Amino acid sequence: MQTNNILEMSHISKSFPGVKALDDVSLAVRKGSVHSLMGENGAGKSTLMNCLFGLYSIDEGEIILDGEKVVFSNPAEALSHHVSMVHQELNQVPDRSVMENIWLGRFPMKGIFLDSKLMFNETEKILQDLDIEVVPEDIISELTVSQKQMVEIAKAVSYDSKIIVMDEPTSSLTENETEHLFEIINKLKEKDISIIYISHKMEEILRISDDVTVMRDGKLIGTKSASNITTNEIIKMMVGRELKQRYPVKEYEQGEPLLQVKALSSESGQFSDVNFVLKRGEILGISGLVGARRTEVLETIFGSRTKSSGEIYLNEKKINNDSPEKSMKNGFAMLTEERRFNGIFPELNIMFNMMIANLGKYHKRRFLDSKLVKNDVAGMIKALSIKTVSEKIPIKNLSGGNQQKVLLARWLLRNPDVLLLDEPTRGIDVGAKYEIYQLMNDLASQGRAIIMVSSEMPELLGVADRILVMSNGKQAGIFDTKSVTQEQIMEASAMYL
């Protein structure tokens, strides 16, 4: 019997040592549709897609692509069958051009020579068709995060794809950039290309999707039409219960001023004259559009960027955070935005990743106190509800949310006074987000101060006490979240553009 399905994954099971990652999961994707795949971190979404893409072999089940049974033993086979995947963590060659990245491994040749003209023309055609505003010769490292994301989508299209898997494609995009992505997705749908869309952002899921499949703990919970499901229903299917509040209630009082930043400016001139006072128990959000220099402010406070002027006071004492090492000694900790590139050591185990920032505590007479390390790591795994069978497995085997918890644990083991968090819930599901929000509240209730950069306005309004708005490297105002509106924040974000 003929169907309108381009893909049918039937009764898929996959196990890894100590865990059954997929348990009898089925997925059917219609031609020219956007089919969203949702679930908490560790639900099995990425594992299912990695099975489709040939990164993992399946233990049970079958995959039918365009009416034919297929078994992909590697991504090259999937790509040759017009199945492509845009990963959340971009894997590009930063010092090479856009066109070289798109055609990497399959450069067009004229005899024994590279056909540069053909490669340029083919790249330019794809970019123009998708309305992507980069040129083939642009160097990847000089592009914005959103432009890099668009290049990966162009690469996927270059394989004449029938199916494109997009894993958290908007996790680093602004609202305008997300709108552009949605326009590209609509163009792909018009060409009868199917999109499998993984995201934790409820509002965009309901807007862009035709169908929604929810997974939990490696099992299929259900598939529904996006027009017949609500945000609350999706959350209930994801977490197995109703999540009545998206943000935890704060039940503690703020203390005395802890951190003061006076007229802080970066050496490179990227931002200037940032001023604020942060109390114990306070969470300060930093908002702004791409290019506002939010991350640069955090990195300068932490000492990984050099300041040109300004002063930092901790407990009314002037300090000099001229390096991350000095900053850590002064009681600061920073969780970076790109956990893959400058956060985790992917091949090394959870224990190593958790204790690496606190080696001084664990070394005694040139030897590592293994018992102390193990006790501390076990305590953090329990306290932060990190889902793992052992502290000795590679951190890359954990879901994104659990990797983020390991990084938070790394810094909590240092008992910092000030936590600098750059996009702490990026790519994390609604249940794990709530846990991290609750953890932030718990830390604030202990008298710590937190600065959080986030691109999600509802998150800033729901979690922060005040929001500092950056606009093109300048401070555009500080607002109390109890009284400010999203419109006022956006107006301030555009003040110096």
Side-chain angles (χ1 to χ4, degrees), residues 106-139:
R106 55 194 176 110
F107 293 132
M109 305 298 289
K110 186 185 290 185
I112 62 171
F113 298 102
L114 174 67
D115 193 339
S116 300
K117 184 177 180 181
L118 178 60
M119 182 165 66
F120 178 93
N121 290 339
E122 290 294 317
T123 304
E124 188 174 52
K125 182 178 184 304
I126 294 169
L127 295 174
Q128 287 178 350
D129 284 349
L130 297 177
D131 194 26
I132 297 173
E133 295 181 354
V134 298
V135 296
E137 302 105 319
D138 283 344
I139 302 301

Side-chain angles (χ1 to χ4, degrees), residues 3 15 17 68 74 92 156 165 169 202 212 219 233 261 272 274 280 284 290 301 305 325 382-383 386 390 438 477 496:
T3 69
S15 293
E68 294 184 10
N74 55 60
Q92 297 169 315
V165 180
M202 301 289 174
V212 178
K219 295 181 174 67
E233 287 174 321
V261 171
S272 61
V274 170
R280 288 188 178 276
L284 176 69
V290 167
I301 293 172
R305 288 180 184 266
E325 292 76 18
K382 183 178 180 181
I386 298 171
S390 168
Q438 187 61 62
Y496 297 111

